[in-house]
């Protein structure tokens, strides 16, 4: 009987015998298997040790990650509080001549949309709606930067084009450095008219029978170092102005269809005779019924001249 | 490493690819790192030996005892070479592998550069009857991995029941026992 024949059996027969030569082979096969087992034991023992160390390192990394996450959460919380402090609490800065309603919703703790009310050099009131690229604390810091630059510029001019050009001039290098930009709709209200600059924002003015889309879109803040051009339109008692950011029009339904500027404008027009809060509510209800999922911050401001 | 390598020492892409594939087979490297690693080496190209050293440091620094792992990598390289590469057509027995690996097609074909840095891998003695061989190695390779290469290469043809390789640091020799 050969060694292979013997080892192929389930159990050795009672009369099993190997030749001396086969016995030697059996000896070395056994020794070879023992040697292989020794190598395997050493390999798996080292692998097992390494796995244990890997788990320990993973635990340490998890703890580091948790600590870093807690710091980030704290930072976001502070960022959110800073952002809330930058936003107007109400529209009282515009005075009694306006009825105003705003829907402002952020995707994350700290968003990129910003709106505010101002008073320019000659005492006229103004409003601006901005969409800063990105989200998070960086967006809040850019927002703070823009707010301070706007405040300075408005002390020197009452022209929306001059104000925004100055803000853009002083912000251009900084915004490029931090890889940020902002869309803007900036409107200064005068007696019976308004002057505006549209740098990538969206807007609709309903003045009497005239419907004007803010489609004279110019460059975003921080993208080109180039002066802005302002436009003037009538704005009388009863007229309605809607300003909004792209989060609304770029929303998609479950089939991937866009919400569109036309749909927002059509809703504002359809409800133009209702109180501005109801106009905003109607737009938001329609948007919420339409959208498949939220994808961006949203700001919708509707104003009516009341006196 | 017996000789500190420098940039003039080169290692073949086919060796590095085999080493990389073995590390992936043994899950020493996994995931995207493995995918990147396997795409790194062209069979026909030559690479600075320093790249191979870096790979070893990166892969094995986490192990408190890398010797059994490096030995297994060497075994795995030769297993793959024999069963999935050209090995089966080149060597028919374990002893054939000793002659092959110490000849011009073996070690000498995967490392090139200044002679004193390339070193040598020389079969000084072999006795099939006694199951004994002695190989002088002055290569820059890790001795544990090289031992694995000998064990894997001699075991792969399947004609030997026992293979053991020990390294004598004083004489730079591997003592191979086989039956």
């Amino acid at each position: 009987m050969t060694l292979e024949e013997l080892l192929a059996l389930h159990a050795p027969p009672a009369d099993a015998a190997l030749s001396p030569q086969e016995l030697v082979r059996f000896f070395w096969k056994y020794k070879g298997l023992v040697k292989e087992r020794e190598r395997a034991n050493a390999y798996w023992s080292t692998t097992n040790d390494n796995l244990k160390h890997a788990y320990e390192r993973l635990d340490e990394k998890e703890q580091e990650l948790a600590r870093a996450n807690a710091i980030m959460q704290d930072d976001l919380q502070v960022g959110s509080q800073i952002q809330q402090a930058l936003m107007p609490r109400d529209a009282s800065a515009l005075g009694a001549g306006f009825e105003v309603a705003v829907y402002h919703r952020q995707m994350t703790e700290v968003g990129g949309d910003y709106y505010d009310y101002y008073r320019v050099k000659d005492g006229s009131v103004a409003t601006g709606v901005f969409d800063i690229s990105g989200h998070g604390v960086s967006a809040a810091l850019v927002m703070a930067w823009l707010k301070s630059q706007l405040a300075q510029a408005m002390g020197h001019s009452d022209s929306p084009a001059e104000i925004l050009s100055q803000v853009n001039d002083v912000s251009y290098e900084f915004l490029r450095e931090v890889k940020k930009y902002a869309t803007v709709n900036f409107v200064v209200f005068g007696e019976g008219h308004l002057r505006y600059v549209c740098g990538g924002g969206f807007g609709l003015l309903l003045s009497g029978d005239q419907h004007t889309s803010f489609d004279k879109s110019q460059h975003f803040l921080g993208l080109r170092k180039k002066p802005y051009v302002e436009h003037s339109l009538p704005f009388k008692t009863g007229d309605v102005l809607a300003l909004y950011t792209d989060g609304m029009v770029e929303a998609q339904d479950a089939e991937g269809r866009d919400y569109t500027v036309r749909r927002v404008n059509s809703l504002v027009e359809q409800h133009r005779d209702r109180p501005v809060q109801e106009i905003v509510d109607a737009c938001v209800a329609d948007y919420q019924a339409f959208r498949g999922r939220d994808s961006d911050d949203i700001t919708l401001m509707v104003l009516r001249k009341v006196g | 490493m017996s000789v500190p390598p420098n940039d003039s020492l080169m290692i073949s892409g086919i060796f590095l690819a085999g080493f990389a594939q073995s590390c992936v087979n043994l899950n020493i490297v996994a995931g995207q790192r493995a995918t990147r690693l396997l795409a790194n080496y062209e069979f026909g190209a030559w690479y600075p030996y320093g790249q191979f050293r870096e790979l070893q440091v990166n892969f094995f620094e986490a192990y408190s005892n890398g010797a059994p792992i490096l030995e297994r990598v060497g075994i795995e390289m030769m297993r793959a070479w024999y069963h999935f590469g050209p090995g089966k057509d080149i060597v028919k027995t374990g002893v054939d592998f000793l002659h092959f690996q110490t000849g011009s097609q073996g070690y000498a074909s995967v490392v090139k550069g200044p002679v004193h840095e390339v070193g040598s891998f020389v079969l000084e003695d072999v006795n099939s009857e006694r199951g004994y061989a002695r190989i002088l190695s002055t290569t820059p390779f890790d001795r544990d991995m090289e031992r694995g290469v000998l064990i894997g290469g001699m075991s792969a043809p399947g004609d030997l029941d026992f293979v053991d390789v020990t390294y004598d640091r004083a004489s730079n020799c591997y003592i191979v026992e086989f039956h």
Side-chain angles (χ1 to χ4, degrees):
Chain A
M1 180 177 273
T2 67
L3 179 58
E4 279 71 25
E5 286 169 346
L6 177 65
L7 293 178
L9 296 173
H10 181 66
D15 59 347
L18 289 174
S19 67
Q21 194 181 9
E22 290 297 286
L23 204 57
V24 169
R25 280 200 55 217
F26 182 83
F27 174 85
W28 286 117
K29 188 171 273 297
Y30 172 76
K31 287 284 191 182
L33 289 172
V34 168
K35 187 58 75 177
E36 267 184 39
R37 199 185 64 178
E38 283 173 11
R39 290 186 199 117
N41 279 350
Y43 171 74
W44 287 114
S45 171
T46 303
T47 302
N48 201 35
D49 279 352
N50 191 54
L51 195 61
K52 180 170 169 275
H53 291 141
Y55 276 123
E56 286 167 0
R57 287 198 299 275
L58 195 61
D59 281 348
E60 286 168 15
K61 293 290 175 196
E62 272 181 357
Q63 286 169 14
E64 279 175 29
L65 206 58
R67 284 194 291 271
N69 194 43
I71 291 169
M72 277 169 54
Q73 286 301 323
D74 286 349
D75 281 350
L76 278 174
Q77 186 62 37
V78 172
S80 176
Q81 288 167 341
I82 290 171
Q83 191 167 53
Q84 290 306 314
L86 295 173
M87 299 285 191
R89 289 191 181 149
D90 53 43
S92 57
L94 289 180
F98 297 89
E99 186 190 346
V100 185
V102 178
Y103 176 76
H104 175 71
R105 197 217 55 209
Q106 297 173 164
M107 280 292 295
T108 54
E109 288 96 331
V110 187
D113 279 9
Y114 161 57
Y115 69 94
D116 209 345
Y117 311 108
Y118 316 94
R119 195 166 287 273
V120 295
K121 189 184 178 188
D122 69 355
S124 303
V125 292
T127 189
V129 175
F130 303 81
D131 179 3
I132 295 150
S133 58
H135 304 264
V137 174
S138 62
L141 292 172
V142 170
M143 193 179 291
W145 167 272
L146 289 178
K147 187 177 173 98
S148 70
Q149 297 307 321
L150 282 162
Q152 284 192 33
M154 280 181 274
H156 296 105
S157 175
D158 50 63
S159 151
E162 285 179 14
I163 291 166
L164 281 187
S165 296
Q166 184 181 331
V167 170
N168 191 48
D169 278 353
V170 296
S171 306
Y172 178 76
E173 298 297 339
F174 162 68
L175 290 176
R176 277 182 69 90
E177 203 168 306
V178 298
K179 296 183 173 62
K180 292 280 182 186
Y181 57 85
T183 68
V184 56
N185 255 326
F186 191 77
V187 183
V188 175
F189 299 99
E191 281 302 320
H193 72 285
L194 58 77
R195 289 173 293 158
Y196 75 95
V197 168
C198 177
F202 296 90
L204 172 70
L205 174 64
L206 302 175
S207 178
D209 295 335
Q210 298 295 311
H211 300 182
T212 307
S213 248
F214 281 16
D215 55 0
K216 296 179 174 63
S217 190
Q218 301 176 64
H219 49 289
F220 299 177
L221 279 169
L223 282 191
R224 283 188 197 172
K225 202 165 184 177
K226 179 182 166 190
Y228 283 96
V229 176
E230 66 187 45
H231 305 277
S232 183
L233 291 168
F235 190 58
K236 302 181 293 294
T237 300
D239 290 350
V240 171
L241 173 67
L243 302 173
Y244 49 96
T245 54
D246 64 357
M248 192 155 212
V249 296
E250 289 175 1
Q252 293 188 329
D253 67 5
E255 277 79 48
R257 287 171 301 205
D258 287 340
Y259 192 67
T260 74
V261 171
R262 179 181 295 180
R263 186 155 172 167
V264 182
N265 289 354
S266 163
L267 277 164
V268 173
E269 192 176 337
Q270 186 185 332
H271 299 283
R272 66 177 291 178
D273 295 328
R274 296 165 65 181
V276 288
Q277 187 59 57
E278 291 183 20
I279 298 174
V280 167
D281 290 346
C283 290
V284 170
D286 185 70
Y287 160 79
Q288 286 177 338
F290 172 87
R291 80 192 195 283
R293 62 185 176 81
D294 295 326
S295 58
D296 200 359
D297 303 331
I298 290 174
T299 301
L300 169 63
M301 177 191 289
V302 178
L303 302 96
R304 176 182 286 122
K305 178 83 171 149
V306 291
Chain B
M1 307 293 163
S2 59
V3 179
N6 61 35
D7 281 351
S8 58
L9 194 62
M10 305 292 282
I11 189 158
S12 76
I14 198 161
F15 178 90
L16 284 174
F19 175 81
Q21 185 64 59
S22 298
C23 289
V24 172
N25 292 351
L26 295 170
N27 288 322
I28 292 166
V29 189
Q32 289 187 349
R33 206 173 163 209
T35 308
R36 283 197 302 272
L37 177 69
L38 294 176
N40 259 0
Y41 304 110
E42 291 176 28
F43 282 12
W46 289 85
Y47 300 86
Y49 191 84
Q51 284 193 21
F52 180 49
R53 279 178 64 88
E54 277 175 30
L55 276 185
Q56 289 183 77
V57 170
N58 287 339
F59 293 172
F60 302 112
E61 68 182 351
Y63 292 91
S64 54
N65 174 19
I69 307 296
L70 279 158
E71 181 190 82
R72 181 56 67 102
V73 169
I75 293 172
E76 176 65 18
M77 282 174 77
M78 291 302 104
R79 189 192 69 80
W81 173 77
Y82 185 84
H83 292 288
F84 306 110
K88 203 174 284 186
D89 296 328
I90 297 170
V91 301
K92 302 297 179 193
T93 68
V95 175
D96 283 353
F97 179 77
L98 281 181
H99 291 287
F100 167 79
Q101 186 65 3
T102 54
S104 61
Q105 298 300 303
Y107 168 71
S109 68
V110 297
V111 178
K112 67 178 184 183
V115 175
H116 70 282
E117 288 186 23
V118 171
S120 59
F121 198 65
V122 180
L123 183 57
E124 291 197 325
D125 188 13
V126 59
N127 184 326
S128 295
E129 291 299 311
R130 279 176 56 210
Y132 170 87
R134 190 176 71 246
I135 298 165
L136 172 70
S137 175
T138 54
T139 71
F141 285 148
D142 179 276
R143 295 290 173 250
D144 293 308
M145 190 188 73
E146 206 164 49
R147 194 175 64 239
V149 165
L150 285 169
I151 294 166
M154 290 188 74
S155 303
D159 64 311
L160 295 174
D161 293 318
F162 177 91
V163 176
D164 192 25
V165 181
T166 52
Y167 179 68
D168 177 28
R169 201 167 292 277
S171 63
N172 283 340
C173 280
Y174 289 103
I175 306 300
V176 184
E177 187 183 2
F178 56 92
H179 298 282

